[in-house]
Amino acid sequence: MAKSAEIICYIAKNYFIWKSKEAKLKTAIIIRHVAYEGLGLFTRVLEHSGYDIIYFDAGVSDFRKEIALQADIVIVLGGPVSVNDIVKFPYLIDELQLVEKRLANDLPVFGIGLGAQMLAKALGESVYPMSEREYGWAPLRLLTEDGVLEPLRSRHVLHWHNDAFSLPSGATLLASTAKCEVQAFSWKKSMALQFHTEINMLKFEQWVLGHAVEIQQAESSCLNQLRQGVDNFGFTLEEHSSQMFYNWLLSLEQSP
């Protein structure tokens, strides 16, 4: 498994070096809401693909800076709040406006969890509470053939969200689950994932600690099931997650 991940990173690194030997590093802005929900596995894929990684932290960084709009890609990570909590967390407004501007200019945004909900809201959809929150490991139902998400076919991934949204106008539905119809969508060069494949499983306990209150409020078996899922699915998933994210980066290079 580790060897396969090395091969993926090697292919990514050498493709982008071959593609533009004279080019300077591309810029990836990472919008982080909490420290325990970081870029994880995708860090290495970005580095080997020729990106300079710059973190913007919610509540600290200025999302109105020109570099955030001009960056080659922006990745909006997850967080334990709702995109609708703008009264409590007014800096979400600047974050949302940044996403809206990038989408209006067809500049790539990759959203995970809260980030996916932000893309949906920026595209005009309402984000609303689910009747039953989706926590734990479950397989995806992919709705396209041979797309960016293909490495995740028949794989269990980690779900951790209370909110959902309908498919934005002009978007392509990529994946669903029994509890959530819109698990992933693409819109032009951008992509949104409700689920989490970015997590480095060796650091999964940081995720557990960060979500301790929610876990304690869930069924008593929740924690054991989460940890069992890491052993059953998580470590195997890492290789396929890295390939999926590389597929998205490659699609940007191939788009007109």
Side-chain angles (χ1 to χ4, degrees):
M1 179 182 67
K3 184 66 175 178
S4 297
E6 291 286 348
I7 292 172
I8 291 170
C9 288
Y10 176 83
I11 292 172
K13 178 180 179 181
N14 284 277
Y15 173 84
F16 283 96
I17 289 176
W18 169 79
K19 188 75 175 176
S20 54
K21 286 185 177 180
E22 303 299 325
K24 63 181 180 180
L25 284 174
K26 296 178 285 291
T27 302
I29 297 293
I30 315 302
I31 298 179
R32 177 172 53 190
H33 301 96
V34 285
Y36 59 84
E37 292 200 36
L39 191 57
L41 299 173
F42 297 166
T43 302
R44 196 171 187 185
V45 180
L46 282 175
E47 290 174 344
H48 283 270
S49 300
Y51 283 86
D52 183 28
I53 298 172
I54 301 173
Y55 274 94
F56 272 44
D57 288 307
V60 178
S61 303
D62 185 355
F63 295 108
R64 295 167 295 182
K65 287 185 175 180
E66 196 66 23
I67 188 175
L69 182 59
Q70 295 179 347
D72 293 281
I73 62 173
V74 166
I75 301 173
V76 188
L77 299 174
V81 298
S82 170
V83 70
N84 296 318
D85 289 338
I86 56 176
V87 174
K88 297 177 182 177
F89 310 105
Y91 39 81
L92 291 176
I93 297 175
D94 290 337
E95 188 176 336
L96 182 60
Q97 288 177 344
L98 169 63
V99 173
E100 289 173 341
K101 289 178 182 177
R102 288 189 61 88
L103 294 177
N105 289 280
D106 196 17
L107 298 173
V109 181
F110 191 95
I112 303 171
L114 172 58
Q117 296 157 22
M118 194 157 290
L119 261 75
K121 193 171 184 69
L123 290 169
E125 286 299 327
S126 296
V127 177
Y128 51 86
M130 300 174 65
S131 58
E132 181 183 0
R133 57 190 178 185
E134 190 170 29
Y135 287 176
W137 297 88
L140 290 172
R141 181 167 64 95
L142 298 190
L143 303 175
T144 59
E145 296 290 336
D146 300 322
V148 168
L149 298 186
E150 187 62 31
L152 303 182
R153 187 173 297 278
S154 302
R155 298 286 168 185
H156 282 64
V157 299
L158 181 64
H159 304 274
W160 201 267
H161 60 104
N162 301 318
D163 290 341
F165 47 80
S166 299
L167 184 68
S169 176
T172 300
L173 181 60
L174 302 178
S176 297
T177 59
K179 290 184 178 181
C180 183
E181 180 183 1
V182 184
Q183 278 286 352
F185 71 81
S186 61
W187 188 86
K188 297 185 177 181
K189 297 177 182 178
S190 297
M191 181 168 289
L193 310 180
Q194 276 274 53
F195 51 91
H196 295 269
T197 64
E198 78 283 2
I199 302 171
N200 182 335
M201 294 302 152
L202 292 177
K203 297 183 178 180
F204 186 75
E205 287 302 315
Q206 292 180 339
W207 178 282
V208 169
L209 285 171
H211 291 282
V213 173
E214 295 162 283
I215 292 173
Q216 289 169 0
Q217 293 173 346
E219 297 178 3
S220 58
S221 60
C222 178
L223 182 55
N224 288 336
Q225 290 174 354
L226 286 171
R227 287 173 170 157
Q228 190 63 50
V230 171
D231 292 334
N232 291 345
F233 316 116
F235 288 106
T236 304
L237 178 66
E238 289 186 342
E239 174 187 338
H240 301 278
S241 299
S242 296
Q243 181 63 60
M244 177 275 296
F245 187 61
Y246 167 66
N247 285 351
W248 181 68
L249 294 178
L250 185 58
S251 73
L252 301 181
E253 292 293 315
Q254 295 175 338
S255 63

